[in-house]
Amino acid sequence: MSSVALETFHAAPLSRLSEDELMFRDTVRQFASEIIGPLVRKMDEEQHFHPSLLPQLFNLGLMGIEIPTEYEGAGGTFFEAILAVEEISAVDPSVGVMVDVQNTLSINALLRRGTEAQKKQYLPKLATEMVGAYALSEAGSGSDAFALETRAERKGDHYLLNGQKLFITNAKEAGLFIVFATVDRGAGYKGITAFLVEKHFPGFSVGKKEDKLGIRASSTCELIFDDCRVPAANVLGEIGKGYQIAIETLNEGRIGIGAQMLGLAQGAWNHAARYAKERKQFGKPIAEFQGVLFQLAEIATEIEATRLMVYNAARLKDAGLDFVKEAAMAKYFASQVAERAASKAVEIYGGYGFVKDYPVEKLYRDAKIGKIYEGTSNMQLQTIGKLLLTQVK
Ligand SMILES: Cc1cc2nc3c(=O)[nH]c(=O)nc-3n(C[C@H](O)[C@H](O)[C@H](O)COP(=O)(O)OP(=O)(O)OC[C@H]3O[C@@H](n4cnc5c(N)ncnc54)[C@H](O)[C@@H]3O)c2cc1C
């Protein structure tokens, strides 16, 4: 760990935002409330990402936050990507995950492992018009991701991909997919290779879209590869090193899901607190009853702890320090707090919390995914536990 990295880290107290970060957060907050807010219910009901949102997300630079300016990106930090996911998810976690997968998975993997030619080819598009997706999971391989069966066979100057992916976020909107396939099943995880697959490549198609409990505006689809022709130049990183790309990308992505759940929790709390100040029973606002006020205070405390954990993991990452355990802890804890905050918000709304005219029942449904994708809670505990044991002497 360099002293420069340490200085950077200590100079930035966890929850204190710099002037630039504050401005950035406020811009995203305003966009989320004014532009995304009015579309949330319709998008949830119709299970459809409103087409007007994508160009605006690109124009604001939110789809290429960490892409350097030389590739037409915003030249921002990972921490800013985390702030954007948090703020957007406070209004709609479906839009939050769109921005999250774009920035913390797709772009991150390309920035870290792409060749100069691949960066020149794809980063300007990802910054301005192209949605990215990250395709690892299959019907038979979820937590055991490296048991994947999609095959890649070299044929001259290209590979032929065959197989299916399942549950792929952004699949309907994406133009570029980072696809993990094996070049040698006998080699186990050492056969896994990452490919950059464009949606128009022959033999590629997007299949069934899932009808989901929550984050319904976010598309989650099957991908089908039927002799899909991928140029050999589109191998991302080295042959047989796809497992490393998958692990390192998900380590960072996890902080993004922590931010999504943090934003969701804050959004639920904001609704509940406003409602509690307005709703009168027994002649006074329900927030004035200690039973309600203490619940709001307790959840706010949990949200504050979550924010410190998520920001800490993101700042560690930006400072070039170890962050894997902190990222897993942040995601694990944030998903619990999101579920509790949304559930409490439903209760504070009373009967109105249970109906779709009010926003909190949706957040309650949306919260559940935090414990499932990018590694279930059990998988986070496994990572945390293993890393902790290595420190026990
Ligand atoms: C809405 C949505 C979006 C998604 N987006 C993407 C995406 O963009 N890209 C992508 O690649 N994938 C995506 N996924 C897939 C997601 O990452 C997987 O669903 C997740 O990793 C869990 O895998 P699984 O569903 O196969 O569950 P399983 O792995 O079958 O797990 C089932 C249960 O068993 C438990 N379990 C399994 N193994 C162990 C163990 N060793 N120890 C203890 N408990 C264990 C799990 O914790 C879980 O509770 C998405 C899924 C959903 C639902």
Side-chain angles (χ1 to χ4, degrees):
M1 157 198 332
S2 76
S3 62
V4 175
L6 256 184
E7 268 167 36
T8 318
F9 185 58
H10 286 143
L14 299 183
S15 61
R16 173 85 55 86
L17 303 187
S18 69
E19 286 294 311
D20 284 353
E21 287 165 349
L22 266 176
M23 257 171 48
F24 176 78
R25 185 199 67 184
D26 291 348
T27 306
V28 181
R29 187 174 285 183
Q30 188 178 357
F31 170 76
S33 125
E34 291 175 9
I35 308 293
I36 301 174
L39 301 171
V40 173
R41 180 152 180 214
K42 184 178 161 66
M43 291 199 296
D44 179 57
E45 275 171 6
E46 296 177 0
Q47 299 191 68
H48 185 56
F49 196 92
H50 200 281
S52 69
L53 285 181
L54 266 180
Q56 300 187 74
L57 288 168
F58 279 109
N59 285 342
L60 274 176
L62 298 179
M63 297 297 271
I65 296 171
E66 276 191 275
I67 295 181
T69 49
E70 70 205 80
Y71 302 108
E72 298 180 42
T77 59
F78 182 77
F79 185 76
E80 282 170 342
I82 290 310
L83 278 182
V85 174
E86 177 191 354
E87 288 302 326
I88 292 173
S89 301
V91 174
D92 192 343
S94 295
V95 184
V97 75
M98 156 74 77
V99 171
D100 176 62
V101 168
Q102 177 83 356
N103 285 286
T104 75
L105 296 184
S106 311
I107 290 171
N108 245 329
L110 204 49
L111 274 175
R112 232 187 3 256
R113 295 291 177 155
T115 61
E116 193 46 41
Q118 289 169 341
K119 289 181 185 174
K120 280 202 175 110
Q121 188 178 357
Y122 291 115
L123 289 177
K125 288 186 187 155
L126 286 165
T128 55
E129 49 159 332
M130 188 184 251
V131 174
Y134 183 87
L136 178 63
S137 304
E138 300 182 359
S141 66
S143 301
D144 187 9
F146 298 147
L148 61 82
E149 290 187 353
T150 297
R151 303 176 311 283
E153 196 186 343
R154 177 109 195 200
K155 295 275 180 193
D157 63 354
H158 63 272
Y159 281 84
L160 284 183
L161 265 58
N162 281 286
Q164 280 106 33
K165 294 286 168 184
L166 195 68
F167 296 145
I168 305 309
T169 300
N170 289 354
K172 274 270 177 265
E173 297 82 12
L176 184 68
F177 298 77
I178 297 178
V179 177
F180 294 86
T182 178
V183 293
D184 179 5
R185 282 215 68 193
Y189 71 90
K190 288 186 177 164
I192 294 172
T193 305
F195 295 87
L196 296 164
V197 178
E198 294 184 35
K199 84 169 171 201
H200 61 77
F201 281 179
F204 172 76
S205 55
V206 175
K208 178 177 164 259
K209 182 177 160 200
E210 303 297 339
D211 183 359
K212 307 195 298 291
L213 171 72
I215 57 163
R216 287 162 61 81
S218 161
S219 64
T220 312
C221 310
E222 180 190 21
L223 306 182
I224 299 153
F225 303 86
D226 184 7
D227 277 344
C228 171
R229 239 179 117 90
V230 181
N234 277 32
V235 169
L236 179 65
E238 290 170 50
I239 301 288
K241 293 282 172 63
Y243 70 96
Q244 273 179 2
I245 299 180
I247 290 171
E248 64 194 21
T249 308
L250 287 172
N251 282 342
E252 296 181 12
R254 228 157 254 159
I255 310 175
I257 300 305
Q260 185 202 25
M261 291 295 118
L262 165 63
L264 189 160
Q266 187 67 62
W269 190 91
N270 294 349
H271 288 301
R274 260 194 302 269
Y275 184 81
K277 281 182 81 174
E278 278 166 19
R279 172 72 172 172
K280 287 195 172 121
Q281 289 292 283
F282 303 97
K284 57 181 182 180
I286 58 169
E288 290 182 20
F289 296 112
Q290 196 182 68
V292 175
L293 184 65
F294 277 18
Q295 292 185 42
L296 285 169
E298 190 166 17
I299 291 293
T301 307
E302 291 190 18
I303 292 172
E304 184 66 10
T306 307
R307 180 164 292 113
L308 293 176
M309 291 176 79
V310 171
Y311 287 10
N312 181 42
R315 294 224 193 263
L316 284 169
K317 197 254 158 209
D318 272 338
L321 302 170
D322 287 347
F323 64 89
V324 175
K325 179 185 82 217
E326 288 79 2
M329 285 177 165
K331 194 242 183 204
Y332 174 73
F333 189 67
S335 61
Q336 291 189 338
V337 171
E339 212 175 277
R340 277 200 291 275
S343 174
K344 208 42 95 181
V346 169
E347 290 166 30
I348 288 175
Y349 267 72
Y352 299 100
F354 205 66
V355 298
K356 290 185 184 289
D357 288 341
Y358 295 86
V360 288
E361 66 83 32
K362 173 187 178 291
L363 292 176
Y364 184 55
R365 288 186 281 108
D366 287 351
K368 197 71 225 180
I369 193 61
K371 290 183 175 174
I372 298 170
Y373 59 14
E374 295 202 28
T376 65
S377 287
N378 274 354
M379 293 298 107
Q380 305 310 320
L381 289 175
Q382 187 164 299
T383 301
I384 296 163
K386 276 188 179 167
L387 288 171
L388 284 173
L389 280 190
T390 63
Q391 293 164 9
V392 175
K393 301 281 175 236

